[in-house]
Amino acid sequence: MADDKNMVESVASAAGNEVVKGAKDDVNGLAQMATMAKNAAGFLKEDIKNGIDWLKMSPEEKAAQKQEEKDAAEAEKAKEEAEAAAEAQRLEDLKKTYILHTAVILCDKAQHESFVVLPTSHGEFVQGIPQLNVADSKPNINIRSFGICRSPSNPLVKEKAKEILKDVNENREKGFMDKVLDLFTKKSDEVCTDSEENLAQYCAAECTPVINMEWIDGKEDVLVDGKPALLGRCTLTCSQGDGAITIYTSGQMEG
């Protein structure tokens, strides 16, 4: 009897706790809904106020406000165009600029920028920073990893796409159309494999640069340690994923 009584009390206690927990959850949910409703009401109130203020305006005041909004939009557009023009000019000037240790580089198949670095100086400096030459193109020594590669032609990306398709094929249940394909055409998993190339367009893998060339278009008449100086116009190609590598900053100190 004592055991039965204890069991009943335990069940009642557990049920009570669940009721309390459920009540707290309900209270929290209602509180969140109330906050959302309050915020929505605040926005609505502000919209109504703005609408009333607009109706109270004279035609001249409405015209002036419209003109003010138009001027602000044009000013913002002009600012964006000026910034774009300044960036275009910076990149144009960069083409003729010497490139130094820790300059930022880009790859059109990568998700992030990287750096070109010089572990050991060639003995030439600009602003006290080591200057680079066209031979400073060695992966993982000069060209640091870009982190993530999104090139569909990268074998690592292709392998990732293959893994995803394999996982899908092994874990999905076959439907009616899959069974029809199994009977009359190629196997359904082969049909999915046909999509591997398409899936690779959306996959990514670790960036492991494979570069078997020097930078193209260095300054032939200025040598750094016996090699043409590296300029901002120089480019590289990563054979791992046909990535086009370009220089984005010179590494020189501004100002």
Side-chain angles (χ1 to χ4, degrees), residues 8-254:
V8 170
E9 289 177 350
S10 297
V11 171
S13 176
N17 290 336
E18 287 300 315
V19 170
V20 172
K21 180 179 181 299
K24 288 182 178 179
D25 290 343
D26 289 342
V27 170
N28 291 336
L30 289 172
Q32 292 177 0
M33 291 177 62
T35 300
M36 293 172 63
K38 182 179 179 181
N39 291 337
F43 294 139
L44 181 60
K45 183 178 180 181
E46 185 65 24
D47 290 341
I48 292 173
K49 180 180 181 299
N50 292 337
I52 293 174
D53 290 343
W54 174 259
L55 292 174
K56 289 180 178 180
M57 287 183 182
S58 66
E60 292 78 12
E61 290 174 328
K62 290 180 180 179
Q65 181 169 319
K66 285 185 177 180
Q67 186 61 46
E68 183 179 340
E69 293 172 352
K70 180 180 179 181
D71 291 344
E74 290 178 349
E76 181 63 26
K77 181 180 179 181
K79 178 183 176 183
E80 291 175 355
E81 290 175 348
E83 290 175 348
E87 176 65 2
Q89 185 60 53
R90 184 190 73 80
L91 293 175
E92 188 63 29
D93 295 339
L94 180 65
K95 294 179 181 179
K96 305 184 289 288
T97 305
Y98 293 124
I99 302 305
L100 312 182
H101 171 65
T102 70
V104 175
I105 54 177
L106 306 175
C107 175
D108 66 348
K109 299 300 190 297
Q111 192 166 343
H112 306 290
E113 70 277 2
S114 185
F115 302 91
V116 55
V117 299
L118 189 61
T120 303
S121 169
H122 295 302
E124 299 290 342
F125 300 85
V126 175
Q127 299 177 339
I129 305 173
Q131 186 175 352
L132 280 69
N133 65 31
V134 295
D136 296 320
S137 60
K138 302 173 185 64
N140 302 317
I141 296 176
N142 305 120
I143 308 300
R144 310 303 297 172
S145 171
F146 290 90
I148 298 296
C149 178
R150 304 188 67 87
S151 172
S153 62
N154 185 335
L156 297 177
V157 175
K158 290 181 178 180
E159 187 61 32
K160 183 64 65 175
K162 185 182 294 185
E163 290 176 7
I164 293 173
L165 285 171
K166 181 181 178 181
D167 182 65
V168 169
N169 288 322
E170 290 180 349
N171 294 289
R172 68 179 183 135
E173 293 184 3
K174 288 188 177 181
F176 174 75
M177 289 306 300
D178 295 307
K179 295 175 182 178
V180 171
L181 289 171
D182 286 347
L183 289 172
F184 298 102
T185 62
K186 61 181 74 176
K187 297 297 183 181
S188 57
D189 59 342
E190 293 175 348
V191 173
C192 282
T193 303
D194 289 341
S195 302
E196 182 181 319
E197 184 175 347
N198 292 331
L199 181 59
Q201 302 284 337
Y202 305 96
C203 289
E206 181 182 359
C207 168
T208 54
V210 177
I211 300 168
N212 303 303
M213 61 183 292
E214 293 186 348
W215 288 92
I216 296 174
D217 203 15
K219 191 167 178 57
E220 299 288 343
D221 57 347
V222 176
L223 301 182
V224 175
D225 199 12
K227 289 281 188 176
L230 187 64
L231 294 178
R233 68 191 181 199
C234 295
T235 60
L236 279 176
T237 299
C238 174
S239 59
Q240 179 79 317
D242 298 325
I245 298 174
T246 55
I247 298 171
Y248 186 65
T249 69
S250 67
Q252 297 188 26
M253 294 182 290
E254 298 181 359

